[in-house]
Amino acid sequence: MEFCPTCGRALEEGASFCSSCGAPIARSRPAEPLDFEVKYKPSYSMLVVHLKPNQSITAESGAMTYMTPSIQVQTRMREKSILGTLGLTVLGRQSFFVNDYSAVGGPGEAAFVAAPVGDIDVLDVTPTKGYVIQKAAYIASTSNVNLDIQWEGFTRGLFGQGLFMIRATGEGQLFINTFGALDRHALEPGETLTVDNFHLVAFSSSCSYRVTKFGGLKETILGGEGLVTEITGPGEVLIQTKNLKEFVDWVWTLMEPRVQARAR
């Protein structure tokens, strides 16, 4: 579902104007969607992209698992300016560079994975339907999808504990990964969902959000949740079923006795 960028109301499919506020809806001719499949869902997912001649996909550096001989790779800075790249790296914790994979002289195939054990899915980005995604969720995207930092709020350490988010705009396909399975929630206008920050993967740019402490001081300290995000529709919220911080803490409970024993 698409929403008006001016008033936030739901749009009719293919509408050129918002029926609620009358604002024009900018539309461009979309690029041909990529042919892809996600293998080994939902726990050990791998994105396999089948490229036609001259088609390309942009992926996070280090995500590629294999590619056929017709694929050519070009490494470039994620942003057009060094300041934009530094902004993504320092705040979004993504790498300085991305790789463009293009099929030259014939069709080709390339596959990509992410470090977390979990699922991979695709988000369709349009001029009226962008997303805010967690930094670690990004795997790949088509060329017309723009990645940027949403400066307001996020530069204040909005999500805490190094959880910064990146805004995806433009038009195309955006591939994301999760730690665990992907849980989707469609919010109506005014409907609110409270999400633990380490479970939050993405939400529609049409949503409003507020980061707050979990309950009162007692709940924040003893409840195990810390900071949570209240997200209000209209739009979509994507949640991962596993919490990476809790997983690391659990692994440490198994390792700590051995580490202490060797330190004696």
Side-chain angles (χ1 to χ4, degrees), residues 234-254:
E236 185 179 25
V237 180
L238 295 91
I239 300 171
Q240 58 190 9
T241 59
K242 295 298 182 181
N243 182 322
L244 186 58
K245 180 179 181 298
E246 288 182 354
F247 176 73
V248 172
D249 290 343
W250 174 75
V251 171
W252 176 244
T253 63
L254 303 179

Side-chain angles (χ1 to χ4, degrees), residues 159 183 185 187 190-203 207-215 225-233 237-240:
F159 288 85
D183 185 32
H185 296 261
L187 301 183
E191 185 179 3
T192 298
L193 190 69
T194 301
V195 184
D196 178 274
N197 284 357
F198 280 97
H199 285 276
L200 180 60
V201 175
F203 55 89
C207 294
S208 59
Y209 55 88
R210 183 174 74 95
V211 175
T212 183
K213 294 180 180 179
F214 178 68
E225 298 297 333
L227 295 176
V228 295
T229 301
E230 296 178 354
I231 304 173
T232 302
V237 180
L238 295 91
I239 300 171
Q240 58 190 9

Side-chain angles (χ1 to χ4, degrees), residues 136-172:
Y138 174 74
I139 295 182
S141 57
T142 52
S143 59
N144 290 335
V145 173
N146 305 312
L147 300 178
D148 198 359
I149 295 168
Q150 186 168 330
W151 292 94
E152 183 180 0
F154 293 107
T155 53
R156 299 196 300 267
L158 178 62
F159 288 85
Q161 297 177 290
L163 290 179
F164 294 96
M165 310 287 274
I166 295 175
R167 182 176 55 189
T169 60
E171 187 164 16

Side-chain angles (χ1 to χ4, degrees), residues 36 38 41 45-47 57 94 112-114 116 118-125 131-141 145 147 166 168 173-184 200-203 236-240:
F36 72 93
V38 179
K41 290 170 69 73
S45 297
M46 179 173 68
L47 171 66
I57 185 171
Q94 296 284 351
F112 308 93
V113 296
D119 207 354
I120 292 176
D121 212 335
V122 61
L123 303 178
D124 292 320
V125 178
Y131 286 91
V132 176
I133 65 172
Q134 188 185 142
K135 58 171 176 56
Y138 174 74
I139 295 182
S141 57
V145 173
L147 300 178
I166 295 175
Q173 294 163 294
L174 172 67
F175 298 94
I176 60 170
N177 76 93
T178 63
F179 184 43
L182 182 64
D183 185 32
R184 291 175 177 263
L200 180 60
V201 175
F203 55 89
E236 185 179 25
V237 180
L238 295 91
I239 300 171
Q240 58 190 9

Side-chain angles (χ1 to χ4, degrees), residues 2-3 16 23 27-28 30 36 48 73 76 87 89 92 111 114 124 134 169 180 189 192 196 205 214 234 247 253 264:
E2 295 182 331
F3 299 91
S16 299
R27 296 189 182 278
S28 58
F36 72 93
V48 180
V73 184
R76 62 177 173 85
T89 302
D124 292 320
Q134 188 185 142
T169 60
T192 298
D196 178 274
S205 58
F214 178 68
F247 176 73
T253 63
R264 292 172 185 172

